[in-house]
Structure formats: structure tokens, C-alpha cells
């Protein structure tokens, strides 16, 4: 099985910085453990579990329909090749001139008008400034273009091999494993106080708070940041009788620096250790 250290297609919040730590935690669990990736996103965490523990059961909640983007890689490669040809005389890492920008937009509009799938998030990594995303043609047409193109074809060969894909509300999925206390919940929700426009749903404070009770009396790996302050919220709620699942957890932190403004924040991974060996 091929090992991926990043998702085959761009996705906000992949947790690449935690993969080594995450793999160490996963390897501590019995090889037949069931892992439920409640916020599957790009599937990178699910892939990593399956790579580390090939006989584990891994349920990947693809609420954002990342699988559709993976299935459309041949079409995306074809469109990227056309864009590459348009950019052949443009300087790398520089703003794309208006003439080429218009040609690219016309090429993409042609595909969309023909009813073909257009992966705007992947194309964004080719023609928009670093970390910028467009979700549709209207959004894309309003932005400045930069030549970020990498001519290498995209591939997702074997990426989610052996992983069980579902697509449903995380609460519904969690309820199916409520009685299986040996199952491990992987929880990587969009961060509170973070731009979530590239996700398929808008996240409110209650959505974040609803996740934490699911962790009560069970094993989990939970990702957050000091920007979200979810842990601090539950430390405060604990004074009023709320159950706080975090004090007895292990914790790993990684300092991140934002490319657009140089400011930093702390990514956090809380996890429990297996106790039924």
C-alpha cells in the first residue's frame, strides 16, 4: 500500500503536521481496532490509520464528498494540462497577465457549461495565490491569478483502499458506535474562529460543543487549536457540572505560522491511550 504524507488533492486542514505523532498513537492500539473518522475531510487520517494498521476497521465520514473530487482526477488532469499550455510563457510564482487569465476563465467556463465536473479547489492551488480557495466560477472570476502550476499529473492510486466510506452527519455516525467502547473516535472538526468557507457546511459554536459529549468515557483522538478555545470553554463549563473529557488526555502541540501575515497559533492534538490490551 502506498504511503501518502499529504492528501492527493488540496483540502483545508489536512493535519499533515501531526501525521508522525498521530501514527505513533494509532500504533499503540490493537491491530483489529475500529477507528471512526467522524470528520473525514480529505481522508488523510483514515488513510494513515489503514497504512499503520492494515487489519483495522476504518470508517471515513466523507461529509464534504471528497471522493467525488478523487473520482474526477482524470478530468482535472486534462483541464490542468490545458491551463499549463496557457501558462507556458508565464513566469512561475508571478501574477498571471490579464490575457492568459481570460483564456483560463474561458477554458473553465467551457467545461462547466458542458456539464463537466470542475474541481475549483484543486484549480485554486494552480492559479490562485497560496492558501486562497475558490468554490465556484463566480468566486474564481473575482480573484487575482498567480502562476502556482505544477505540471505533474495528480494521482490517488490506492489512497482509500480498504477504508469504509460513509457520508452522514457526525452525530448520526457516532450514535452507531455508542455501545462499542473499544472503537476510537477521530475528531478533526473545522476550527472555531477559523475561515471555514471551503467546507460544505457552516459551523456554529453549538456544532463544536456538540462534539465533545461524544467523547465521554471512550477512546478518541481530538484535534483543535488555541484559536478555537474549545478546551478552555469546557474547563469553564466544568465549574457548572459539565463533563470535561480533556484533563486526563495526553497532548501534543505544534506551532504554526500563517504565510500571509506571519502570525502564529498552536495546533493541538489530545488523545487517550488504550487500556484494554
Amino acid at each position: 500500500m502506498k504511503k501518502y504524507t499529504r492528501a492527493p488533492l488540496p483540502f483545508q486542514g489536512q493535519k499533515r503536521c501531526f501525521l508522525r505523532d498521530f501514527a505513533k498513537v494509532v500504533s499503540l492500539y490493537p491491530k483489529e481496532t475500529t477507528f471512526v473518522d467522524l470528520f473525514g475531510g480529505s481522508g488523510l487520517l483514515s488513510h494513515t490509520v489503514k497504512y499503520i494498521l492494515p487489519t483495522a476497521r476504518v470508517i471515513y465520514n466523507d461529509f464534504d464528498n471528497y471522493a467525488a473530487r478523487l473520482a474526477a482526477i482524470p478530468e482535472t488532469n486534462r483541464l490542468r494540462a490545458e491551463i499549463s499550455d496557457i501558462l507556458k510563457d508565464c513566469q512561475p510564482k508571478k501574477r498571471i497577465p490579464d490575457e492568459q487569465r481570460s483564456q483560463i476563465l474561458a477554458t473553465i467556463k467551457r467545461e462547466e457549461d458542458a456539464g463537466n465536473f470542475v474541481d475549483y479547489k484543486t484549480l485554486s492551488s494552480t492559479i490562485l495565490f497560496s492558501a486562497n480557495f475558490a468554490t465556484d466560477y463566480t468566486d474564481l472570476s473575482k480573484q487575482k491569478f498567480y502562476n502556482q502550476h505544477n505540471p505533474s499529473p495528480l494521482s490517488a492510486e490506492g489512497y482509500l483502499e480498504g477504508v469504509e466510506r460513509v457520508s452522514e452527519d457526525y452525530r448520526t455516525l457516532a450514535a452507531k458506535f455508542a455501545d462499542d467502547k473499544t472503537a476510537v473516535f477521530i475528531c478533526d472538526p473545522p476550527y472555531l474562529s477559523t475561515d471555514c468557507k471551503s467546507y460544505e457546511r457552516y459551523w456554529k459554536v453549538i456544532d463544536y460543543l456538540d462534539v465533545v459529549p461524544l467523547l465521554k468515557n471512550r477512546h478518541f483522538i481530538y484535534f483543535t487549536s488555541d484559536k478555537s478555545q474549545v478546551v478552555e470553554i469546557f474547563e469553564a463549563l466544568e465549574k457548572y457540572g459539565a463533563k470535561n473529557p480533556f484533563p486526563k488526555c495526553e497532548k501534543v502541540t505544534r506551532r504554526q505560522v500563517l504565510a500571509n501575515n506571519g502570525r502564529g497559533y498552536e495546533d493541538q492534538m489530545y488523545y487517550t491511550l488504550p487500556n484494554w490490551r
Side-chain angles (χ1 to χ4, degrees):
M1 181 179 184
K2 179 182 176 180
K3 180 181 180 180
Y4 286 80
T5 57
R6 65 172 62 201
L9 302 176
F11 193 91
Q12 186 177 8
Q14 291 185 32
K15 294 298 168 293
R16 285 186 290 145
C17 67
F18 277 118
L19 276 192
R20 183 174 298 178
D21 302 297
F22 178 74
K24 288 179 180 178
V25 174
V26 168
S27 67
L28 297 175
Y29 282 89
K31 62 182 181 180
E32 305 295 340
T33 300
T34 295
F35 290 84
V36 185
D37 193 353
L38 293 176
F39 305 88
S42 69
L44 184 59
L45 295 178
S46 288
H47 162 79
T48 301
V49 173
K50 200 65 179 175
Y51 183 84
I52 299 297
L53 298 177
T55 58
R57 184 185 180 194
V58 183
I59 294 90
Y60 160 54
N61 191 16
D62 185 17
F63 194 78
D64 297 286
N65 202 15
Y66 189 77
R69 296 175 58 198
L70 294 177
I73 282 179
E75 289 79 7
T76 302
N77 276 334
R78 177 176 53 77
L79 187 53
R80 290 175 76 249
E82 291 190 53
I83 292 174
S84 180
D85 189 57
I86 295 172
L87 294 175
K88 62 185 178 184
D89 295 324
C90 297
Q91 286 185 289
K93 309 300 181 183
K94 299 292 183 180
R95 185 174 175 179
I96 296 173
D98 290 343
E99 180 181 353
Q100 283 80 6
R101 180 181 183 276
S102 297
Q103 292 178 32
I104 292 170
L105 284 172
T107 300
I108 295 171
K109 190 67 165 60
R110 181 203 69 210
E111 289 296 304
E112 187 167 274
D113 289 346
N116 297 325
F117 182 88
V118 178
D119 186 349
Y120 284 99
K121 294 174 184 176
T122 296
L123 294 182
S124 294
S125 66
T126 292
I127 55 177
L128 297 184
F129 194 72
S130 180
N132 286 358
F133 282 94
T135 56
D136 55 34
Y137 182 83
T138 300
D139 189 12
L140 182 67
S141 65
K142 295 176 181 178
Q143 301 199 43
K144 296 178 181 179
F145 284 12
Y146 289 83
N147 186 5
Q148 309 281 3
H149 184 61
N150 180 343
S152 300
L154 302 169
S155 173
E157 181 181 357
Y159 180 57
L160 293 175
E161 182 179 344
V163 171
E164 300 175 35
R165 178 188 175 273
V166 299
S167 183
E168 54 193 359
D169 187 274
Y170 72 87
R171 301 171 185 89
T172 303
L173 179 58
K176 295 178 179 179
F177 294 87
D179 296 328
D180 183 0
K181 298 305 181 182
T182 65
V184 180
F185 282 177
I186 301 172
C187 298
D188 182 24
Y191 289 172
L192 192 62
S193 304
T194 299
D195 177 18
C196 299
K197 78 169 187 175
S198 67
Y199 295 99
E200 292 297 320
R201 60 173 288 175
Y202 174 71
W203 275 78
K204 304 181 290 294
V205 173
I206 190 62
D207 292 305
Y208 296 94
L209 299 184
D210 279 351
V211 175
V212 179
L214 302 177
L215 310 181
K216 182 179 178 180
N217 299 325
R218 71 172 318 118
H219 294 278
F220 64 84
I221 305 171
Y222 180 88
F223 296 91
T224 186
S225 78
D226 59 357
K227 293 195 298 181
S228 295
Q229 296 185 317
V230 171
V231 176
E232 289 78 5
I233 290 172
F234 271 86
E235 287 175 350
L237 292 176
E238 194 173 20
K239 299 177 183 177
Y240 301 96
K243 177 68 175 178
N244 184 355
F246 298 110
K248 296 182 180 180
C249 292
E250 303 292 326
K251 178 183 177 182
V252 175
T253 63
R254 289 285 178 265
R255 193 69 184 169
Q256 305 295 332
V257 178
L258 300 175
N260 56 349
N261 59 22
R263 296 176 182 174
Y265 64 95
E266 184 181 85
D267 257 340
Q268 303 165 343
M269 182 179 80
Y270 290 83
Y271 63 94
T272 59
L273 294 171
N275 58 7
W276 62 83
R277 286 196 172 205

